[in-house]
Amino acid sequence: MVRVTELGYLGLNVSDSQAWRQYAAECAGMEVLDEGEGDRFYLRMDNWHHRFVVHNGPQDDLAYIGWRVADAVALKAMEQQLAEAGVSYRVATSQEAAERKVLGLLKLEDPSGIPTEIFYGPRIDVHLPFHPGRRMHGRFLTGDQGLGHVLVQSKDPVATYKFYALLGLSGSVEYHLQTPVGIAEPWFMHCNDRQHSIAFGLPSEKFLNHMMLEYTELNDLGMAHDIVRKRGIPVALQLGKHSNDLALTFYSATPSGWLMELGWGACKATAQQQYHVLDVFGHGMEAAGMGLDLEL
Ligand code: MBD
Ligand code: FE
């Protein structure tokens, strides 16, 4: 069986491009790259040409998720795997591959309709070393762990699990959380050392509930927290430590309304599954109505 190797890139649709450029650079520390296309700009976290394509659009939601495989052989094997499972996909044209700055890709949809791309051969701009949008003590933790994680909508969590398992991710329900309307059972799946690259199973109006980026240095998380607080950006969940990935994180609003989880110190994925009913500490609820009204 062939497996995806990392959460490689994300496409976002945003209504306020200017607010996003400022937010991404000045709060998170990403590098803004504008190639003059007019309808989009890029965000960098490392030496990849980009990790985010930010498209101008009215929707304010996730546009697509890009999962990497090793090479052309793996992409061909993935095609066969999808076909045998009866999942429809199409092979993107070379023009579409050039648009994403990859050597080849497949286009399909996950069971909730989230546009999904499986690609190989991203463009790595070693000649253009990452230049953070604000001062940083360290870097974003990417490498073979991918760009971070997303928590996405799932209309049918079991179907969603089966879809991502077909792509080669592993995982399970990792929390039983008491909510006013019953027990929430979020799922977490990984495809490399990052404890999870995708999560689902919590109510989410948009495709995207939140995305998570990880710093290599605690000081950069602290700096991000100071900047978010000074700017009065709503914080949905205060600083706290998750029980599953042991990361110290907080959740604040992006200019598109969905949440950004910034973190540091996550542990690596393990083969054996376990579940939790509460986080280690913190993650107290602050701003309500942002998609994570949870007692973690
Ligand atoms: C996460 O990254 C997360 O977003 C939640 C809700 C629980 C555990 C880890
Ligand atoms: Fe998360």
Side-chain angles (χ1 to χ4, degrees), residues 149 151 175 188 196 202 210 212 242 244-245 251 261 279 292 294 296:
H149 75 243
L151 194 158
Y175 285 84
F188 296 81
H196 57 283
L202 294 175
H210 72 261
M212 189 269 197
H242 285 308
N244 60 348
D245 63 11
Y251 298 70
E261 179 182 13
D279 270 347
L292 273 184
L294 280 177
L296 263 169

Side-chain angles (χ1 to χ4, degrees), residues 20-270:
W20 259 96
R21 286 170 198 250
Q22 270 180 9
Y23 167 77
E26 296 168 18
C27 297
M30 288 189 274
E31 177 181 353
V32 175
L33 178 72
D34 190 330
E35 300 195 325
E37 290 152 294
D39 65 342
R40 70 192 67 182
F41 65 92
Y42 302 95
L43 294 173
R44 306 184 75 221
M45 300 171 67
D46 52 23
N47 288 347
W48 283 42
H49 176 271
H50 63 269
R51 289 290 190 165
F52 292 87
V53 190
V54 187
H55 301 267
N56 304 335
Q59 310 94 322
D60 277 304
D61 203 352
L62 183 62
Y64 45 86
I65 303 180
W67 296 99
R68 186 183 191 178
V69 292
D71 54 21
V73 175
L75 195 67
K76 197 74 204 164
M78 183 62 80
E79 260 193 66
Q80 199 174 342
Q81 208 159 286
L82 294 170
E84 275 167 13
V87 172
S88 47
Y89 66 89
R90 79 183 171 81
V91 180
T93 63
S94 53
Q95 212 171 357
E96 287 171 320
E99 184 189 4
R100 294 285 188 267
K101 303 204 162 39
V102 298
L103 295 176
L105 79 157
L106 311 176
K107 294 202 181 198
L108 60 160
E109 281 186 2
D110 94 342
S112 304
I114 298 174
T116 299
E117 303 182 351
I118 305 176
F119 72 96
Y120 82 95
R123 172 170 152 183
I124 308 297
D125 285 342
V126 187
H127 67 283
L128 203 68
F130 172 63
H131 181 92
R134 62 153 165 88
R135 291 179 194 280
M136 281 179 82
H137 294 269
R139 285 292 178 253
F140 287 104
L141 196 152
T142 58
D144 56 15
Q145 293 194 30
L147 69 86
H149 75 243
V150 285
L151 194 158
V152 296
Q153 182 187 78
S154 63
K155 293 173 180 154
D156 176 347
V158 172
T160 303
Y161 166 77
K162 286 181 180 160
F163 175 82
Y164 288 103
L166 181 66
L167 267 53
L169 290 104
S170 314
S172 68
V173 167
E174 291 185 356
Y175 285 84
H176 284 180
L177 297 169
Q178 206 71 54
T179 77
V181 292
I183 293 179
E185 299 193 353
W187 296 68
F188 296 81
M189 298 185 77
H190 64 271
C191 53
N192 54 42
D193 277 349
R194 188 176 295 278
Q195 200 273 338
H196 57 283
S197 293
I198 192 162
F200 51 88
L202 294 175
S204 181
E205 278 171 36
K206 295 183 175 198
F207 281 160
L208 188 59
N209 171 280
H210 72 261
M211 52 205 216
M212 189 269 197
L213 309 179
E214 185 175 350
Y215 297 109
T216 62
E217 297 297 320
L218 175 57
N219 287 344
D220 287 318
L221 178 64
M223 218 190 220
H225 188 260
D226 280 356
I227 295 166
V228 163
R229 287 305 194 182
K230 272 190 199 120
R231 294 184 178 208
I233 294 172
V235 170
L237 296 181
Q238 297 163 345
L239 277 167
K241 189 168 178 177
H242 285 308
S243 295
N244 60 348
D245 63 11
L246 302 179
L248 182 66
T249 74
F250 74 102
Y251 298 70
S252 59
T254 67
S256 288
W258 69 69
L259 292 169
M260 171 71 88
E261 179 182 13
L262 294 170
W264 168 83
C267 68
K268 290 181 175 177
T270 56

